[in-house]
């Protein structure tokens, strides 16, 4: 399992993967996503770099409530091939901390 933590700052977005996912396999990926900041909502997304740069959700994998709520996504990795993973702030303006657990 891998744990990633980050903060969505003033841009309203955070790039999680530096390169697009590259897989031809059909493997199950489990993502647990949590927003750690009250008063904001975040969305975990997969899309192109153009989607990320424009702040478009592309494929929304998950969204968040407030702190203490973890949401699970179970997805075939093949559906993520060619996409980058990123987090967008959907509600609020404050810097928003998040945690993603990937298995």
């Amino acid at each position: 399992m891998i744990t990633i933590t980050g903060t969505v700052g003033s841009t309203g977005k955070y790039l999680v993967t530096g390169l697009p996912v590259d897989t031809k396999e059909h493997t199950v990926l489990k993502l647990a996503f949590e927003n750690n900041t009250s008063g904001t909502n975040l969305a975990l997304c997969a899309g192109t770099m153009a989607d990320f740069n424009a702040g478009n959700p592309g494929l929304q994998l998950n969204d968040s409530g407030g702190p203490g709520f973890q949401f699970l996504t179970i997805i075939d990795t093949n559906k993520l091939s060619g996409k980058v993973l990123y987090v967008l702030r959907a509600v609020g303006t404050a810097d928003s901390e998040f945690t993603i657990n990937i298995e």
Side-chain angles (χ1 to χ4, degrees):
M1 178 160 66
I2 297 170
T3 299
I4 298 171
T5 59
T7 302
V8 176
S10 61
T11 64
K13 53 192 177 183
Y14 183 100
L15 185 62
V16 175
T17 57
L19 290 172
V21 174
D22 182 15
T23 182
K24 308 284 187 275
E25 301 298 319
H26 290 278
T27 305
V28 172
L29 184 65
K30 298 174 209 161
L31 304 160
F33 181 62
E34 180 178 3
N35 174 11
N36 302 317
T37 304
S38 295
T40 62
N41 284 3
L42 301 174
L44 177 61
C45 304
T48 64
M49 280 304 296
D51 288 330
F52 170 74
N53 289 331
N56 294 328
L59 172 63
Q60 186 169 329
L61 301 171
N62 215 323
D63 60 4
S64 67
F69 293 98
Q70 266 193 7
F71 295 95
L72 175 66
T73 297
I74 300 171
I75 190 166
D76 185 328
T77 56
N78 195 268
K79 291 186 179 192
L80 301 177
S81 190
K83 296 176 173 54
V84 292
L85 300 180
Y86 52 95
V87 177
L88 298 177
R89 184 173 37 247
V91 173
T93 57
D95 288 358
S96 306
E97 296 178 2
F98 65 87
T99 303
I100 305 170
N101 292 306
I102 302 171
E103 184 178 325

